[in-house]
Amino acid sequence: MSQSNLPSWVPIVLGGGGLVGFSTILFNLFKQVTDAKDTRIENLEGTIVELEKRHSEQINLLRENAQRDMDNLHRELENKKRELSEMKDLKDTAEKFFDDLSTQEITPETRLSLRKIESLLANIDRNQEVLKSTKTAAEWVTYKKEDWSFKLVKSARDRYPDLIKNGDVERFRLDILKYLDWIYDSLNYGFTCKIEDYVRSPAIASPFPYRAAFQELAEINDFGQLSDPEVRDLQDYITELSRQASM
């Protein structure tokens, strides 16, 4: 059928290009639909990859936290064993001392036992006072760590915006929170925990943002109602954090 024999409405629908123009329209429509579908598929694939990545990070975080908690429980158990051993030594020494006193004689051995008891009691009292101080400082870290983490991240980003990309900000903050957990645990248990148990794979490859964050932490000077000894305990561990984590 020639174009001159087509009904009068056909050229209006097909446009000036006739059947050729109509084919072009169909091809363009098909291409647009296909491109849109491909874009949608790519977006879905990207979303799936991102979800899998987040899921993997969460699993790794849970695993690390579980291992760290187990290590800390083991250390606490060893601490308790040591304390019990010291208490047993004190009990044995005290019993021997009182046995000696029952003779109503102050022998050289009695004087030695007395000095040992005094030394043990002094050590226990001193250790208890130190532990009480560090535990109070640890509670302050728990109270302030969320607020501090945002300040430390902001300071690090202000100094090194090219090293902390937008997608890494929250992961970097999680690292900072883990380091603050290290300070808390070390203060709470009364000894320096293994820092590698807290941040095994830093979110940022460069050490400079972390150093900037620790420097900001050292300069915050936000100690509330902590006593001078408690402030010194906290500052000592902040300094130790900067030394260990920056190596």
Side-chain angles (χ1 to χ4, degrees):
M1 178 183 294
S2 65
Q3 187 170 343
S4 61
N5 295 326
L6 292 174
S8 60
W9 53 268
V10 172
I12 297 175
V13 174
L14 299 182
L19 289 174
V20 176
F22 182 60
S23 298
T24 301
I25 292 173
L26 284 177
F27 174 78
N28 289 335
L29 287 174
F30 178 77
K31 186 175 184 306
Q32 290 176 12
V33 171
T34 302
D35 290 346
K37 182 182 67 174
D38 291 343
T39 300
R40 178 60 175 165
I41 290 174
E42 290 176 359
N43 290 339
L44 288 173
E45 290 176 344
T47 300
I48 291 172
V49 170
E50 183 64 25
L51 288 174
E52 289 178 342
K53 180 181 177 183
R54 291 181 185 177
H55 177 71
S56 177
E57 290 176 351
Q58 290 173 352
I59 293 297
N60 290 335
L61 178 61
L62 289 173
R63 185 181 295 113
E64 290 175 5
N65 288 340
Q67 183 61 48
R68 187 188 68 202
D69 291 342
M70 289 178 61
D71 291 342
N72 286 337
L73 286 173
H74 176 72
R75 294 190 187 101
E76 187 173 14
L77 177 61
E78 292 301 316
N79 254 2
K80 296 302 180 185
K81 287 180 179 178
R82 186 167 58 252
E83 289 177 6
L84 289 173
S85 177
E86 290 176 355
M87 293 301 295
K88 185 178 184 302
D89 288 344
L90 176 60
K91 181 175 180 294
D92 292 342
T93 303
E95 287 177 350
K96 184 177 185 307
F97 172 70
F98 290 122
D99 287 342
D100 290 341
L101 282 182
S102 65
T103 66
Q104 300 298 320
E105 296 179 3
I106 305 299
T107 65
E109 291 77 11
T110 299
R111 293 190 182 91
L112 182 62
S113 296
L114 178 59
R115 286 195 293 272
K116 188 173 181 181
I117 288 175
E118 291 174 341
S119 177
L120 286 171
L121 288 174
N123 285 337
I124 290 174
D125 288 342
R126 184 163 52 251
N127 290 338
Q128 290 299 322
E129 285 301 315
V130 170
L131 193 57
K132 181 180 178 182
S133 173
T134 58
K135 282 183 177 293
T136 302
E139 291 303 316
W140 183 251
V141 174
T142 296
Y143 177 68
K144 296 297 296 185
K145 71 175 187 177
E146 283 291 332
D147 180 44
W148 284 353
S149 69
F150 288 107
K151 291 181 179 179
L152 304 189
V153 170
K154 182 179 184 304
S155 178
R157 290 197 73 193
D158 288 345
R159 294 191 189 187
Y160 301 104
D162 55 324
L163 297 179
I164 307 177
K165 307 301 182 183
N166 290 335
D168 295 328
V169 173
E170 184 59 22
R171 293 174 59 233
F172 178 65
R173 192 177 79 86
L174 288 176
D175 282 355
I176 297 300
L177 286 172
K178 291 177 188 176
Y179 282 126
L180 292 174
D181 285 340
W182 176 87
I183 293 178
Y184 168 83
D185 286 343
S186 296
L187 287 167
N188 187 55
Y189 293 114
F191 56 85
T192 303
C193 297
K194 292 171 60 179
I195 200 163
E196 58 268 24
D197 289 343
Y198 291 77
V199 180
R200 298 180 185 275
S201 300
I204 308 299
S206 172
F208 299 124
Y210 295 96
R211 293 178 182 178
F214 301 148
Q215 182 180 348
E216 177 68 17
L217 178 61
E219 296 174 356
I220 280 182
N221 197 30
D222 180 9
F223 303 120
Q225 303 304 311
L226 293 181
S227 66
D228 289 343
E230 291 162 353
V231 170
R232 285 195 296 271
D233 290 333
L234 177 53
Q235 288 177 326
D236 286 344
Y237 277 102
I238 290 174
T239 301
E240 184 64 14
L241 170 66
S242 181
R243 187 186 72 83
Q244 289 202 29
S246 299
M247 292 174 63

